[in-house]
Amino acid sequence: FITDKDLDSITNAIKKIKNDRKKIELRNSLNHFIGNNLFKKDFYTKDHIEMIKHLANECIELNLCSPSFLDEVLEREELSYTSFANSVAVPHSLNLSAYQSFLSVVLNNKGMKWGNNIVNIIVMIGTCKTDREAFKKIFDELIAILYDQNNVQVLIKCNDYDSFISKIIELMNLD
């Protein structure tokens, strides 16, 4: 006969399988939208405009967006700085003009001035109409993590792409 203990074990095993699947799906989504080629550790430019230009031009070269993307991001930045008091900047276009949604990520141990704030994490966003829903899910989760200054400090310590992705998944607390 099945006991309550057996039922608990079965329930826990099912939860673990579901959780493991969520983690795999999340890792696959992060790899799709960020990828190792869009991740930089301790990458500095003379100012935030040069950072935007460098990241946008890199995405243009990777054929993730059109050349107009750079101008769109700079226009958005002119409206108001895309940096926040939690050491994060999120430069982006107001248009859904990317060929494929992406996140270009820079983690810097040393902060750089970005408007009125000092930032250590830069996440350039490009959004495409066709994969907007899948992207929004990942983006919303990532922004929730980046909102917490403690999480930002943990992420800054990541030394490479794989540790960054693993830490993001851990911070999403899927258990």
Side-chain angles (χ1 to χ4, degrees), residues 10 13 15 22 25 49 54 56 58 80 104 107 143 165 172:
I10 292 168
K15 283 181 185 177
K22 280 183 187 176
E25 288 172 15
I49 297 298
H54 181 84
E58 195 170 67
S80 65
S104 180
L107 298 183
I143 291 302
I165 296 299
M172 286 187 179

Side-chain angles (χ1 to χ4, degrees), residues 13-25:
I14 291 169
K15 283 181 185 177
K16 183 178 179 342
I17 290 168
K18 286 181 178 180
N19 190 34
D20 289 348
R21 280 189 187 155
K22 280 183 187 176
K23 286 180 180 180
I24 290 168
E25 288 172 15

Side-chain angles (χ1 to χ4, degrees), residues 40-58 91 106-108 110-114 119 122 124:
K40 290 179 180 27
K41 176 65 178 177
D42 290 326
F43 177 78
Y44 301 93
T45 58
K46 72 175 185 165
D47 60 28
H48 73 285
I49 297 298
E50 289 302 313
M51 181 66 77
I52 289 171
K53 287 179 180 178
H54 181 84
L55 296 178
N57 283 327
E58 195 170 67
V106 177
L107 298 183
N108 287 334
K110 181 181 162 206
M112 72 178 284
K113 186 158 177 48
W114 196 297
V119 302
I122 299 129
M124 179 175 277

